[in-house]
Amino acid sequence: MSHNPAISKTIAAIIAIIVIIAAVGLAYYFIAMRPSKVKIIWASTQLNPPKEQAFVKDVLLKEFTKETGIEVEFVPISYSDLATRVESEMKAGKVTISLIGELHGGLDLFASKGWLEDLSKFGALKGRTFPKVLEDYSRIHGIKAYTPWMTATYVMVVNKKAFDYLPEGLTKEDVIKGTDKWTYEALLAWAKNLYEKTGKKLLGFPAGPKGLFVRFLHGYLYPAFTGAQVKNFDSDDAVKMWDYLKELWKYVNPASTTWDAMADPLLKEEVWIAWDHTARIKDAIVERPDDFVVVPVPRGPKGRAFILVVAGLAIPKNAPHQGGAWKLIEYLTRPEVQVKVLENVGFFPTVKEATGAIPSGPLKILADGVSKQVSSPDALVAMIPSLGPKGGDFKNIYLTAFKRIVLEGEDIKKVISKLAPQLMKLFEEVGAPLPPPDA
């Protein structure tokens, strides 16, 4: 049989084409079948300051991505902007956020509107135990709305020098343990004694433009004196509370209205007794742990009221990459990760297994004070309400009352009677429940 070069070339060309088609098809198959890299959006109202953001991105999320291959875009966002974004995504039917980090109040609001997945469908997180109070708070509106992530509170810090000036009938042990004798009246007597013996006003609050003094007003004094944060705003008990604060303010360092955080005033000894958020007094304890003690707040006529800040992790309804979001929740609630958060940003663990891993030293001092406050038998736990875009209005009502009554001397009953309807209207407009205690 004779060899035909033309036919051979044609066959070779056909084979080459078949090989190319097969190669392209195979490449396409592998590209199509290869799992695309998952990237989730985590929107959080917590850990937003630059230093805290850096810790989240450069430490926490780097380790998570290395372990799981899941990339995370951390989006720091304000309370009002988060509420607006979630609502708009729900209405549009296009959800882009896979995970939400937010306070209890905000998550309560989202759950009430049906915007959150029921996390019970993912099962239990093994190897960690959440305190009952946190578990109970996270189960709202018929679902497991969020996983408790971080806690914080506001406490009092005492320079040990101040114990030499205790008023009659109050002991160091009363203050440190938070006994029945450690009352707001006792605090007033102590502040007065300090002033009379030293000539200095050594009690201080973060009442500056960016300070958190408003939390003391609505979450500490109001429940301690009236039994509620909101509904007894203009009651007779509230009048007594404002009368008390006017008297106490005579012995408060006047620079308080310029202070946004109390670590520096404590370290400079401009004050010997201070109230503030645990994260904002942490530096003073770390720098001079032998000089300070963290103690429970005093009790009022209705009990020892304090804010328990609970931040939770939730998955929006119909969110993309829910499996990846759940893996991130699992990672962020590991005991060793929770301790790392405490060490770096001062928020306390939500899992019991983490408390045993807290090293001795300054953080232990903080943890002991917080533990005594939270476990006090007369505790009245207050939760920060979430009013979305109206949150600023809520705070302004309390600060306006403080300014007009305490700083400017206006009539108490007139001021609170005028402000009370404005306060109640905020909750009606947003459709948010009144915050505990005694909601």
Side-chain angles (χ1 to χ4, degrees):
M1 186 175 175
S2 61
H3 177 72
N4 190 325
I7 293 174
S8 296
K9 282 183 180 178
T10 302
I11 291 171
I14 291 169
I15 291 170
I17 291 168
I18 291 170
V19 169
I20 290 169
I21 291 170
V24 170
L26 201 60
Y28 177 78
Y29 172 80
F30 280 116
I31 290 169
M33 294 302 291
R34 185 181 63 194
S36 58
K37 204 161 194 177
V38 172
K39 183 176 183 180
I40 63 177
I41 293 175
W42 174 18
S44 176
T45 59
Q46 305 303 297
L47 307 183
N48 285 2
K51 188 177 175 184
E52 295 177 8
Q53 279 190 51
F55 165 67
V56 171
K57 294 173 183 176
D58 300 338
V59 179
L60 291 185
L61 294 182
K62 257 188 186 171
E63 292 176 4
F64 173 75
T65 300
K66 186 178 177 182
E67 178 186 313
T68 64
I70 299 169
E71 292 185 1
V72 183
E73 182 185 346
F74 181 71
V75 180
I77 192 167
S78 69
Y79 299 105
S80 57
D81 286 350
L82 176 64
T84 301
R85 178 168 172 175
V86 171
E87 182 174 16
S88 64
E89 290 194 359
M90 291 297 162
K91 285 181 177 176
K94 185 170 175 56
V95 181
T96 63
I97 299 169
S98 294
L99 186 67
I100 291 172
E102 166 66 307
L103 296 181
H104 168 87
L107 297 170
D108 187 1
L109 179 64
F110 296 165
S112 73
K113 294 180 181 290
W115 294 346
L116 299 180
E117 291 284 357
D118 185 348
L119 298 186
S120 61
K121 71 180 184 180
F122 294 100
L125 290 162
K126 295 178 181 176
R128 63 216 75 181
T129 310
F130 297 93
K132 186 178 183 298
V133 65
L134 297 183
E135 269 296 338
D136 290 346
Y137 273 122
S138 67
R139 295 179 183 276
I140 41 181
H141 306 289
I143 65 169
K144 169 68 173 170
Y146 65 87
T147 297
W149 170 32
M150 306 185 300
T151 65
T153 188
Y154 306 73
V155 291
M156 299 204 93
V157 181
V158 178
N159 185 317
K160 291 176 182 177
K161 291 179 182 179
F163 287 124
D164 294 335
Y165 300 86
L166 286 166
E168 196 175 337
L170 185 69
T171 68
K172 180 178 176 180
E173 190 176 80
D174 287 327
V175 177
I176 292 174
K177 289 187 175 179
T179 71
D180 287 349
K181 292 181 180 179
W182 177 222
T183 64
Y184 278 106
E185 289 301 328
L187 174 65
L188 172 59
W190 195 3
K192 184 179 180 183
N193 211 36
L194 281 165
Y195 176 65
E196 289 175 349
K197 299 283 176 63
T198 68
K200 297 175 183 177
K201 297 180 178 182
L202 293 169
L203 173 63
F205 295 93
K210 294 181 181 178
L212 296 169
F213 179 63
V214 67
R215 302 302 185 200
F216 183 70
L217 296 174
H218 76 77
Y220 284 68
L221 283 185
Y222 252 101
F225 279 79
T226 77
Q229 291 191 69
V230 174
K231 76 174 187 180
N232 299 327
F233 185 83
D234 60 345
S235 62
D236 290 341
D237 285 334
V239 173
K240 292 173 186 173
M241 184 274 283
W242 285 111
D243 263 329
Y244 167 81
L245 187 56
K246 283 178 70 174
E247 187 64 24
L248 183 70
W249 209 258
K250 293 177 184 177
Y251 308 106
V252 170
N253 190 312
S256 287
T257 53
T258 69
W259 290 332
D260 293 331
M262 297 308 298
D264 269 357
L266 282 163
L267 287 168
K268 292 175 182 174
E269 299 199 3
E270 293 171 291
V271 295
W272 286 0
I273 306 172
W275 173 96
D276 207 349
H277 189 286
T278 48
R280 295 192 175 194
I281 49 93
K282 174 175 164 276
D283 288 350
I285 310 297
V286 169
E287 195 166 320
R288 285 165 47 190
D290 295 335
D291 293 346
F292 301 109
V293 59
V294 177
V295 305
V297 291
R299 61 169 282 129
K302 305 292 184 183
R304 199 176 310 274
F306 56 87
I307 288 173
L308 183 61
V309 181
V310 179
L313 297 164
I315 297 176
K317 198 83 170 174
N318 303 317
H321 310 303
Q322 293 190 18
W326 182 249
K327 283 183 180 178
L328 184 52
I329 289 175
E330 189 279 329
Y331 171 78
L332 291 169
T333 55
R334 291 177 188 173
E336 64 273 19
V337 174
Q338 296 239 307
V339 171
K340 201 175 285 186
V341 169
L342 172 62
E343 290 171 340
N344 284 273
V345 298
F347 279 93
F348 287 83
T350 54
V351 297
K352 290 181 179 178
E353 289 78 3
T355 55
I358 297 172
S360 60
L363 292 176
K364 208 73 170 174
I365 295 170
L366 263 174
D368 286 348
V370 169
S371 177
K372 286 187 177 72
Q373 179 165 287
V374 173
S375 59
S376 58
D378 53 1
L380 277 177
V381 177
M383 303 292 275
I384 296 174
S386 177
L387 293 163
K390 301 284 184 182
D393 296 336
F394 172 81
K395 291 190 283 189
N396 284 337
I397 287 171
Y398 290 88
L399 291 173
T400 297
F402 168 71
K403 182 184 175 188
R404 290 174 59 184
I405 293 167
V406 178
L407 301 183
E408 296 174 358
E410 290 189 38
D411 181 79
I412 296 172
K413 192 63 181 174
K414 282 183 182 176
V415 171
I416 59 177
S417 293
K418 188 173 181 180
L419 291 173
Q422 297 175 34
L423 183 62
M424 295 305 293
K425 190 179 178 185
L426 295 179
F427 288 86
E428 291 165 12
E429 287 177 351
V430 176
L434 295 182
D438 199 17

